[in-house]
């Protein structure tokens, strides 16, 4: 931290890269320099700013759970001291102020900000609530509505909104020396004898708060926050700000903060924060490797997937060409893209001008020669190796040297595809998830020969288009679909054994998943799953055809799911209801395959589906398909609707103990006869780590 006195103002500059995390050293430094400024008679006011692009990223999350987090001075105490300062303190917010960084600013008397900044309290995303006064000071400055919205959503707001809400007192000019402007602003406050301000003297203005505001607010966020512990505590803290004087409100905030901090959810959500960042680091690959440029992109195929993929690039302002075999297909594809943008514009999330700007970046062609000079091609044609090989052979002929050639396959062998052309080093898998313009996950499949710079370029590109990239090795289904397979198998098998689709869905939904497997299959299309199985018959039908019997039968009956109005359920508009015929069908198929039907407990459904998913995760980890267990968690929480409050399947296993998972798998191995023996084989890595009393996160290949 830097300290200097300019005239009669002490300038305290946070300088703790990368994000000015308020760990113990920085908290101590703030306190020391604050004391110095108070003791200096020459100093009449203090300005706190930052030497980094960011003002402050908040508490140091890596300290949580360690002694350092509890060591004095704690962040609440630092903030309380700033607020109680007899000398004027101004926060000069030069860049993003988040979490504890925002709270530090709120504890100052006045806030001066650059117009480009954002301020926010994202603690809820870490399973927490703001614990350094944010829940008490923000409502006093900005009102309960703004505060509860910001605190429960975690979404930052821009400088203009912060000014309008009373969070920021003055904005700087966009151009010019920001620190000089902040000093001049502070001097003007001194010149006007502006008194110090303390939130303790303010109460929350509830005059305009609608009746039943909090009850209605709770209802409005119920779906989005289902299963999460922290959002309700956030609301309670804001209610306390209305009801209690500041000192008591701060105490209540601490109680609620500690209650959140001690939950497995907080550990899970903090795990995911670091997991996402770890996933971009590839062992053995120099992160300083120069990247290839990605200024022009081509997508092969204008279907739903190709169009969705294209939208990501258009949104990022990247020149994009879609290639398809016929003009008719292109017209249809482009029409869908335009329609999607127009729907977004109608919702007020895009202006008409932005729609036109995006469409202007989009080119369409039926000629491969037109995409010869692009930097990246993503093929999104039918999921069939021969068809993909033909596309790649043409790309090999026409594309300039160095073009990254990507396949959007969800299961096929990227190495086989790479080996079929002359430049396997440029081939990579980019597995987008449907709808490709919405889903955050991007599975990047690194072939055996993929060049390091091609790999790092696609990781960077993924971040540019706001995806969460995770790198996987080559195997059937990569990380996501491979690990999903035993989970799906168990769900289908349980149907045969007597569980109903609704029971399975309920168990998984109650666990926190966005939906259970039968609903997921109905949504994705029963025919889609059937086609995937035909592409890998050996894997699906080689060992035991029984578990696919029910899906195959529904496919044969052309009950493809939601799109045909019938699948596991009967759909009428948005409503779905159970279908007794499916249970009847399951009973018949069970008989045919020698499976005895019985009552299945919810516990058995949960363990057989989720634990087998974990078991396959362990296998994938040991084979090196995933570099670390947290990569599997990132895949599941961003692409498969796994609840963030569980932190992903591997984190969940770490939390409940690997011995618990192993014991249950062994139990079913013994109880389920031949089927158990065949399918309930614990992964060797799971057995090893459980025996050593370790967790998946302790494992490094
Ligand atoms: N604590 C510890 N490490 C942090 C951190 C934090 N608050 N914020 C970021 N980092 C680390 C990241 O892990 C990363 O480390 P790595 O290089 O080793 O992977 C590095 O800083 C850079 O982070 P990003 O890659 O995310 O950098 P960006 O520039 O893309 O984003 C950011 C910066 C917007 C600040 C983003 O990092 C972020 O959102 N951070 C978390 C903000 C947050 O949640 N703050 C609340 C903390 S809890 C709190 O304050 C409690 C209080 O109420 C008591």
């Amino acid at each position: 931290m830097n300290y200097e006195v300019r005239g009669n103002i002490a300038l305290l500059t946070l300088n703790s890269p990368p994000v000015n995390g308020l760990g113990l050293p920085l908290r101590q430094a703030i306190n020391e320099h604050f004391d110095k400024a108070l003791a200096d008679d020459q100093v009449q006011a203090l300005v706190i700013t930052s030497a980094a692009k960011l003002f402050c990223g908040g508490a140091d999350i890596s300290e949580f759970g360690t002694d350092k987090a509890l060591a004095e001075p704690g962040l609440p105490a630092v903030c309380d001291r700033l607020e109680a300062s007899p000398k004027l303190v101004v926060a000069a917010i030069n860049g993003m102020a988040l979490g504890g960084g925002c709270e530090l600013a709120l504890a100052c008397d006045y806030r001066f900000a650059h117009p480009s900044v954002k301020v926010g309290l994202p603690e809820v995303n870490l399973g927490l609530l703001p614990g350094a006064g944010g829940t008490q000071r923000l409502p006093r400055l900005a009102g309960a509505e703004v505060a509860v919205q910001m605190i429960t959503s975690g979404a930052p707001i821009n400088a203009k909104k912060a000014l309008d809400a009373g969070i920021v007192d003055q904005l700087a000019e966009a151009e010019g020396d920001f620190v000089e402007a902040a000093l001049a602003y502070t001097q003007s406050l001194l010149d006007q004898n502006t008194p110090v301000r303390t939130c303790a003297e303010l109460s929350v203005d509830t005059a305009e708060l609608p009746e039943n505001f909090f009850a209605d607010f709770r209802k409005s966020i119920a779906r989005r926050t289902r299963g999460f512990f922290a959002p309700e505590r956030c609301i309670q803290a804001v209610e306390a700000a209305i009801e209690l004087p500041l000192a008591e409100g701060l105490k209540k905030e601490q109680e609620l903060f500690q209650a959140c901090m001690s939950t497995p959810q907080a550990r899970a959500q903090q795990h995911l924060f670091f997991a996402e960042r770890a996933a971009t680091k590839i062992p053995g690959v120099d992160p300083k490797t120069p990247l290839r440029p990605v200024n022009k992109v081509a997508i092969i195929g204008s279907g739903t997937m190709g169009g969705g993929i294209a939208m990501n690039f258009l949104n990022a302002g990247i020149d994009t060409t879609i290639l398809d075999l016929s003009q008719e297909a292109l017209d249809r594809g482009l029409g869908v893209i335009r329609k999607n943008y127009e729907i977004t514009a109608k919702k007020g999330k895009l202006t008409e001008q932005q729609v036109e700007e995006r469409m202007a970046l989009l080119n369409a062609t039926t000629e491969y020669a037109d995409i010869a000079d692009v930097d990246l091609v993503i093929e999104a044609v039918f999921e069939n190796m021969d068809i993909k090989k033909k596309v790649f052979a043409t790309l090999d002929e026409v594309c300039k040297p160095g073009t990254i050639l990507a396949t959007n396959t969800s299961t096929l062998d990227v190495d086989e595809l790479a080996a079929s052309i002359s430049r396997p080093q440029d081939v990579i898998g980019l597995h987008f998830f449907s709808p490709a313009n919405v889903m955050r996950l991007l599975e990047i499949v690194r072939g055996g020969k993929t060049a390091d710079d091609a790999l790092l370029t696609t990781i960077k590109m993924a971040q540019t288009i706001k995806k969460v990239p995770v790198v996987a090795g080559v195997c059937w289904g990569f990380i996501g679909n491979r690990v999903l397979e035993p989970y799906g198998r168990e769900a289908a098998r349980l149907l045969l054994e007597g569980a109903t689709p609704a029971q399975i869905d309920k168990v998984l939904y109650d666990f926190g998943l966005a939906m259970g497997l039968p609903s997921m299959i109905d949504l994705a299309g029963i025919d889609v799953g059937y086609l995937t199985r035909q592409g890998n018959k050996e894997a699906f039908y080689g060992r035991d055809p029984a578990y696919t019997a029910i899906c195959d039968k529904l496919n044969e009956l052309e009950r493809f799911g939601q799109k045909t109005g019938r699948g596991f359920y009967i759909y009428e508009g948005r409503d779905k209801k159970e279908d007794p015929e499916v249970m009847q069908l399951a009973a018949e198929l069970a008989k045919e395959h020698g499976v005895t039907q019985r009552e299945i407990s919810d516990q058995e459904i949960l363990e057989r589906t989720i634990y087998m998913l974990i078991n396959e995760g362990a296998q994938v980890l040991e084979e090196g398909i995933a570099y670390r267990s947290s990569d599997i968690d990132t895949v599941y929480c961003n692409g498969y609707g796994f609840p963030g409050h569980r932190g992903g399947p591997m984190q969940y296993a770490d939390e409940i103990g690997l011995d618990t998972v192993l014991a249950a798998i062994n139990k079913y191995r013994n109880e389920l006869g031949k089927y158990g023996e065949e399918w309930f084989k614990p992964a060797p890595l799971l057995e090893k780590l459980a025996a050593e009393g370790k967790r998946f996160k302790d494992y490094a290949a």
Side-chain angles (χ1 to χ4, degrees):
M1 178 157 187
N2 308 336
Y3 179 87
E4 61 182 302
V5 178
R6 300 244 197 125
N8 53 355
I9 300 173
L11 183 62
L12 284 68
T13 307
L14 308 175
N15 189 9
S16 186
V19 299
N20 288 327
L22 290 157
L24 182 59
L26 188 53
R27 299 197 303 267
Q28 280 167 338
I30 296 173
N31 252 4
E32 275 166 29
H33 292 114
F34 177 70
D35 285 339
K36 206 192 297 183
L38 287 193
D40 186 342
D41 288 340
Q42 190 192 327
V43 171
Q44 291 176 8
L46 293 80
V47 170
I48 303 179
T49 191
S50 143
K53 224 171 90 196
L54 256 95
F55 175 73
C56 176
D60 183 345
I61 306 165
S62 62
E63 267 190 359
F64 290 170
T66 71
D67 290 346
K68 277 189 185 167
L70 302 173
E72 288 301 332
L75 191 55
V78 172
C79 290
D80 292 349
R81 290 195 73 207
L82 289 179
E83 178 165 87
S85 164
K87 293 183 183 178
L88 211 57
V89 187
V90 172
I93 308 172
N94 59 309
M96 216 179 229
L98 294 179
C102 179
E103 293 174 289
L104 191 76
L106 292 173
C108 296
D109 296 288
Y110 294 94
R111 281 150 296 279
F112 181 77
H114 192 273
S116 66
V117 308
K118 285 188 173 177
V119 297
L121 294 167
E123 285 87 343
V124 71
N125 299 327
L126 301 169
L128 302 173
L129 50 89
T135 65
Q136 304 305 298
R137 295 193 176 99
L138 186 61
R140 284 177 162 80
L141 292 167
E145 274 187 84
V146 170
V148 84
Q149 181 62 40
M150 280 179 71
I151 294 169
T152 56
S153 73
I157 60 170
N158 65 31
K160 172 76 174 62
K161 280 195 180 149
L163 180 73
D164 293 345
I167 300 168
V168 161
D169 299 289
Q170 176 134 347
L171 295 185
E173 296 292 331
E175 304 298 327
D177 187 316
F178 176 74
V179 172
E180 286 304 330
L183 290 169
Y185 169 73
T186 308
Q187 188 59 53
S188 74
L189 294 177
L190 287 173
D191 293 345
Q192 292 160 42
N193 288 326
T194 311
V196 291
R197 251 197 327 190
T198 160
C199 272
E201 285 160 15
L202 299 175
S203 57
V204 184
D205 183 0
T206 53
E208 311 232 324
L209 204 60
E211 213 182 319
N212 297 327
F213 170 72
F214 285 103
D216 292 344
F217 187 79
R218 281 184 166 91
K219 271 190 219 144
S220 75
I221 64 163
R223 230 180 114 200
R224 177 172 64 75
T225 59
R226 179 176 69 91
F228 285 84
F229 183 81
E232 168 57 27
R233 275 76 210 165
C234 292
I235 299 175
Q236 289 174 16
V238 176
E239 285 175 323
I242 296 175
E243 289 154 14
L244 303 173
L246 184 70
E248 281 180 50
L250 289 172
K251 261 192 221 150
K252 178 76 184 171
E253 178 190 83
Q254 259 322 292
E255 273 168 34
L256 293 166
F257 180 81
Q258 294 307 338
C260 288
M261 188 60 110
S262 59
T263 58
Q265 291 201 359
R267 288 191 287 279
Q269 290 180 255
Q270 288 156 29
H271 160 79
L272 284 176
F273 174 82
F274 288 115
E276 251 184 49
R277 282 150 183 86
T280 61
K281 296 170 180 111
I282 310 305
V285 176
D286 180 358
K288 296 204 181 85
T289 306
L291 303 183
R292 301 187 194 182
V294 182
N295 300 318
K296 279 185 176 182
V297 173
I299 317 289
I300 315 290
S302 61
T304 313
M305 205 48 172
I309 295 172
M311 287 175 78
N312 291 297
F313 292 96
L314 300 173
N315 296 347
I318 295 171
D319 192 318
T320 305
T321 302
I322 298 195
L323 183 146
D324 212 322
L325 295 177
S326 73
Q327 191 58 44
E328 204 190 343
L330 282 172
D331 290 344
R332 211 175 26 241
L334 262 59
V336 172
I337 294 178
R338 174 172 281 284
K339 203 169 141 215
N340 283 342
Y341 278 137
E342 280 168 358
I343 291 171
T344 313
K346 264 200 193 123
K347 289 183 190 155
K349 291 182 184 164
L350 275 184
T351 62
E352 279 305 323
Q353 193 190 333
Q354 283 169 323
V355 173
E356 294 313 320
E357 280 167 7
R358 287 172 198 204
M359 290 306 291
L361 288 168
L362 181 58
N363 309 295
T365 184
T366 54
E367 300 296 327
Y368 274 88
D370 290 342
I371 61 165
D373 69 338
V374 302
D375 304 306
L376 166 69
V377 181
I378 303 171
E379 145 306 286
V381 301
F382 191 68
E383 184 80 344
N384 172 289
M385 184 55 96
D386 291 338
I387 297 176
K388 289 190 193 278
K389 276 186 182 166
K390 279 193 193 125
V391 169
F392 268 67
T394 314
L395 293 173
D396 195 12
E397 263 171 42
V398 302
C399 289
K400 68 176 183 189
T403 297
I404 297 174
L405 305 176
T407 169
N408 176 49
T409 179
S410 53
T411 53
L412 298 176
D413 186 338
V414 174
D415 283 336
E416 186 183 334
L417 195 56
S420 71
I421 64 166
S422 72
R423 34 173 140 173
Q425 72 281 2
D426 298 334
V427 176
I428 200 158
L430 290 181
H431 179 204
F432 286 83
F433 287 70
S434 190
N437 53 320
V438 176
M439 296 294 287
R440 292 184 75 220
L441 178 65
L442 181 61
E443 221 177 5
I444 298 182
V445 188
R446 180 187 189 184
K449 296 206 167 142
T450 305
D452 287 357
D453 65 344
L455 177 66
L456 293 189
T457 302
T458 53
I459 293 175
K460 178 81 179 99
M461 175 281 297
Q463 291 173 319
T464 306
I465 61 170
K466 300 202 163 63
K467 296 286 172 199
V468 176
V470 177
V471 177
V474 175
C475 69
W476 183 89
F478 320 125
I479 296 177
N481 283 344
R482 157 111 182 248
V483 172
L484 189 71
E485 177 43 30
Y487 163 88
R489 180 193 72 225
E490 284 314 303
R493 171 78 193 194
L494 282 158
L495 287 170
L496 223 52
E497 290 178 30
T500 66
Q503 187 192 5
I504 294 175
D505 272 337
K506 182 170 184 324
V507 169
L508 295 170
Y509 181 81
D510 288 349
F511 177 74
L513 282 150
M515 63 184 85
L517 195 93
S519 289
M520 190 176 115
I521 298 179
D522 269 0
L523 182 68
I526 286 176
D527 53 331
V528 175
Y530 179 80
L531 279 177
T532 309
R533 288 194 291 283
Q534 305 320 299
N536 196 3
K537 281 193 177 164
E538 180 52 31
F540 285 102
Y541 301 103
R543 287 205 286 178
D544 175 9
Y547 74 87
T548 57
I550 187 144
C551 288
D552 286 353
K553 189 73 192 173
L554 291 174
N555 182 69
E556 188 189 313
L557 297 171
E558 297 187 356
R559 296 179 53 145
F560 297 149
Q562 276 195 29
K563 61 185 164 195
T564 55
R566 287 187 96 165
F568 282 107
Y569 295 93
I570 299 172
Y571 295 88
E572 279 159 12
R574 284 176 155 235
D575 295 332
K576 68 175 179 189
K577 60 178 189 200
E578 286 191 72
D579 185 349
E581 257 182 57
V582 171
M583 272 79 92
Q584 183 58 34
L585 215 58
E588 285 164 18
L589 288 167
K591 212 163 169 197
E592 205 177 292
H593 289 277
V595 175
T596 313
Q597 289 211 317
R598 62 193 163 88
E599 275 280 299
I600 309 268
S601 74
D602 289 355
Q603 181 72 8
E604 179 171 345
I605 291 173
L606 188 72
E607 290 176 350
R608 281 178 60 180
T609 51
I610 301 291
Y611 290 7
M612 288 319 280
L613 196 158
I614 294 166
N615 193 52
E616 195 67 19
Q619 199 64 47
V620 155
L621 194 57
E622 190 165 17
E623 287 171 24
I625 298 297
Y627 293 119
R628 41 186 98 71
S629 64
S630 65
D631 287 355
I632 302 169
D633 291 333
T634 305
V635 165
Y636 266 77
C637 289
N638 290 286
Y640 290 83
F642 206 89
H645 60 73
R646 304 269 186 200
M650 309 311 271
Q651 166 70 15
Y652 174 65
D654 280 349
E655 194 68 42
I656 59 175
L658 301 195
D659 49 348
T660 306
V661 177
L662 180 63
I665 291 176
N666 280 328
K667 180 174 88 116
Y668 293 116
R669 186 175 170 76
N670 293 330
E671 281 178 4
L672 296 175
K674 209 164 140 275
Y675 180 80
E677 249 171 64
E678 175 72 20
W679 296 104
F680 281 75
K681 292 197 176 93
L685 182 65
L686 172 65
E687 286 183 311
K688 181 172 174 288
L689 293 175
E692 292 168 356
K694 288 189 177 159
R695 302 166 304 172
F696 285 127
K697 55 160 76 73
D698 301 322
Y699 175 76

